[in-house]
Amino acid sequence: MRPLTEQDIRTSFINCSKGEAKRLAVPRDLGERPWEDLDFLGWRDPGAPDRAYLVAERDDRLVGVALRFQPGRRGFLHRSMCSLCLTTHPRGGVSLMTARRSGPAGREGNSVGAYMCTDLACSLYLRGKKVPETGARFKESLTLEQQIARTRDNLHAFLDKL
């Protein structure tokens, strides 16, 4: 992913008003992000524990999405799988992220959801730059490039529903 500026991020949102996009919390460490290892930029709002944001490149433009989620409160032995990168996590490492649809459907309250890594670090898990709490990912027969393509396809399918 190419490095993004705060302005790039704020103008990319498709499912919130310009005022909401202006007020949302943008990461302060944009200059330190590992952009070459990211398929999308995702972060949680430090001031609102139930909000997260995701910005991806789609058809040569940026698409930003405001997400809401309930932090998981699963049992010690319960495991969940991210629908984007297929990484499994124990105890709340995966959450149902919902996004209000854009346009009239969103104004009527319609939303779309997907189970995602709660920390939105899918790209880093795929590349082995971040290790899930369990210590490893499942061994796959796909190459890293194929896994990255699958993750992007899964993300684009989610974005297309908005």
Side-chain angles (χ1 to χ4, degrees):
M1 180 168 201
R2 68 178 173 91
L4 302 178
T5 66
E6 181 177 340
Q7 185 64 26
D8 291 336
I9 293 168
R10 292 191 187 283
T11 59
S12 70
F13 283 88
I14 62 169
N15 68 338
C16 62
S17 70
K18 289 181 181 181
E20 290 170 319
K22 186 177 181 180
R23 291 186 301 272
L24 63 84
V26 174
R28 299 190 186 278
D29 64 347
L30 292 176
E32 301 158 19
R33 294 281 173 142
W35 295 104
E36 62 280 351
D37 291 326
L38 297 181
D39 302 304
F40 62 89
L41 174 65
W43 72 98
R44 292 178 54 184
D45 189 331
D50 65 338
R51 292 186 188 169
Y53 307 99
L54 184 148
V55 178
E57 292 175 306
R58 181 78 168 125
D59 299 327
D60 297 326
R61 70 180 186 103
L62 292 175
V63 177
V65 179
L67 302 163
R68 290 199 177 252
F69 70 99
Q70 282 295 116
R73 291 181 174 80
R74 304 281 182 164
F76 181 73
L77 298 175
H78 184 85
R79 300 176 60 79
S80 299
M81 181 180 284
C82 173
S83 64
L84 299 183
C85 67
L86 305 186
T87 300
T88 59
H89 297 272
R91 295 184 307 278
V94 172
S95 297
L96 176 61
M97 302 275 186
T98 58
R100 186 173 62 209
R101 295 185 73 186
S102 60
R107 288 189 290 278
E108 292 175 9
N110 294 331
S111 62
V112 176
Y115 286 94
M116 299 182 198
C117 295
T118 304
D119 61 3
L120 296 169
C122 299
S123 302
L124 302 178
Y125 291 124
L126 281 177
R127 292 165 174 83
K129 307 284 181 173
K130 189 169 184 176
V131 179
E133 189 177 321
T134 55
R137 292 185 72 235
F138 288 114
K139 180 97 172 127
E140 292 194 57
S141 59
L142 298 178
T143 66
L144 177 60
E145 291 76 25
Q146 291 170 323
Q147 292 176 52
I148 291 168
R150 178 187 62 207
T151 298
R152 287 181 181 166
D153 289 346
N154 291 342
L155 175 61
H156 292 164
F158 173 72
L159 295 175
D160 289 345
K161 293 176 187 174
L162 297 173

